[in-house]
Amino acid sequence: MKAENEQRTGLLYGFGAYGMWGLVPLFWPLLMPAGAVEILAHRMTWSLAVVGLALLAVRRWGWIRELLRQPRKLGLTALAASVISVNWGLYIWSVNNGHVVESSLGYFINPLVSIAMGVLVLGERLRRVQWVAVGISFVAVLVLAVGYGRPPWISLALACSFATYGLIKKKLNMGGLESLAAETAMLFLPALGYLLWLGSQGQSSFTSQGVGHALLLAATGLVTAIPLVLFGAAAIRVPLSTLGLLQYMAPVFQFGLGVLYFHEAMPPERWAGFSLVWAALALLTWDALRTARRSRAALGMTRAAAPAPAREPA
């Protein structure tokens, strides 16, 4: 019963995290007339404040000394911070410039890009169904390139940057709260410096658009940190396969907002391209669930076949 309650709680946390990520396109336009770079700088600055308060609450500081003693880990953290900055900045810009649907495509194809990186960078071997899914996604990108009259570079850049970030995080092997704190700490001074420079030039919307606008910019820290905390709580309570299925919530919500709320155009060739991507993801999900089921069955048979431990003589 306790395990069932934990899993149910984990699902709620997962829905909360991916639901917030899926609805965040509604938030970024509220920050206009601030530009994407100013919003990004505020996001970096206020995220450190929120994460710092969270660390203060849980009293987890020992990892800082350990990180500072490992130059390689510090370098990887700096690289992760740079990559996620590109991802965040491009996403904010794309939403505020009428590319919500194209940005959602980036997160649809992100699992496929992660698989491709696993093959190219880590030398992983793919199963036949995974190869088929990657092939279908490649055709989908070609179809979408025809539909857009150009390669869907926003989608590709978002997918590649987030997949690269995931690869670096895998090598770092740090907790979600700790890694976000380290990354935002590295970004804090450049971000704060840029905001101070904007203010000195009289171009800062933080000081010129009223208290409500300033509070919204400060809320970027909460918008960044809360779903990550919820995600971390979900990750330790639900199976990885379930979490993998939940991740599609965010781009589904983003796509729906792009089409139904922002009224972005969806000509037939874009529908065709998205349909191919969804077919590839369906194949990928089916294969992952089938493999997980077989692994559990094999583990169960191994345990059943194992000899019972010998009893010690009385």
Side-chain angles (χ1 to χ4, degrees):
M1 181 64 73
K2 185 179 178 181
E4 287 182 8
N5 289 335
E6 279 288 292
Q7 195 166 65
R8 193 177 298 113
T9 303
L11 278 174
L12 290 175
Y13 284 137
F15 281 124
Y18 285 109
M20 285 188 69
W21 280 326
L23 295 175
V24 80
L26 295 172
F27 179 70
W28 303 127
L30 299 178
L31 305 181
M32 297 172 73
V37 180
E38 184 181 0
I39 296 171
L40 175 63
H42 276 287
R43 187 176 190 181
M44 294 171 179
T45 305
W46 294 107
S47 291
L48 180 61
V50 173
V51 172
L53 288 173
L55 286 173
L56 195 62
V58 297
R59 298 180 181 180
R60 289 213 300 259
W61 304 104
W63 60 272
I64 299 176
R65 191 180 297 108
E66 183 184 342
L67 178 63
L68 292 174
R69 289 174 180 169
Q70 300 179 64
R72 181 178 175 275
K73 212 167 186 178
L74 269 175
L76 284 173
T77 302
L79 184 59
S82 301
V83 171
I84 200 60
S85 297
V86 172
N87 183 273
W88 284 356
L90 179 58
Y91 184 70
I92 293 166
W93 177 89
S94 63
V95 169
N96 285 355
N97 285 273
H99 299 287
V100 177
V101 168
E102 191 175 351
S103 65
S104 75
L105 176 63
Y107 294 104
F108 275 124
I109 65 175
N110 177 66
L112 296 157
V113 174
S114 295
I115 286 174
M117 281 191 171
V119 173
L120 298 173
V121 179
L122 302 178
E124 294 177 354
R125 299 184 66 179
L126 298 187
R127 295 182 292 275
R128 185 179 301 171
V129 174
Q130 291 175 312
W131 275 118
V132 172
V134 171
I136 292 173
S137 66
F138 180 74
V139 174
V141 170
L142 293 179
V143 171
L144 287 164
V146 172
Y148 281 105
R150 56 171 174 79
W153 67 269
I154 293 174
S155 308
L156 294 172
L158 286 172
C160 290
S161 59
F162 201 74
T164 302
Y165 179 68
L167 183 64
I168 298 168
K169 298 278 273 190
K170 185 179 178 69
K171 290 183 176 294
L172 272 171
N173 194 27
M174 288 175 65
L177 196 60
E178 292 86 348
S179 61
L180 182 63
E183 290 156 20
T184 49
M186 290 182 172
L187 299 168
F188 178 77
L189 287 178
L192 183 62
Y194 176 75
L195 293 175
L196 291 174
W197 176 81
L198 270 185
S200 69
Q201 299 297 307
Q203 299 175 19
S204 171
S205 68
F206 185 78
T207 54
S208 64
Q209 297 296 316
V211 175
H213 181 74
L215 290 174
L216 282 173
L217 285 171
T220 54
L222 292 172
V223 169
T224 300
I226 289 175
L228 283 170
V229 172
L230 292 175
F231 173 79
I236 61 174
R237 289 174 170 84
V238 300
L240 193 60
S241 57
T242 305
L243 209 59
L245 290 175
L246 286 177
Q247 74 173 328
Y248 297 128
M249 273 182 61
V252 165
F253 281 12
Q254 292 163 12
F255 177 81
L257 286 173
V259 174
L260 301 175
Y261 182 80
F262 293 102
H263 304 293
E264 294 184 15
M266 279 296 291
E269 56 272 20
R270 288 186 197 172
W271 279 113
F274 269 87
S275 298
L276 285 169
V277 169
W278 294 332
L281 290 176
L283 268 178
L284 206 60
T285 303
W286 171 76
D287 179 65
L289 292 174
R290 182 186 62 167
T291 303
R293 195 179 302 115
R294 285 179 176 177
S295 298
R296 285 196 298 269
L299 183 62
M301 290 177 65
T302 302
R303 286 176 177 172
R311 293 184 179 178
E312 292 183 6

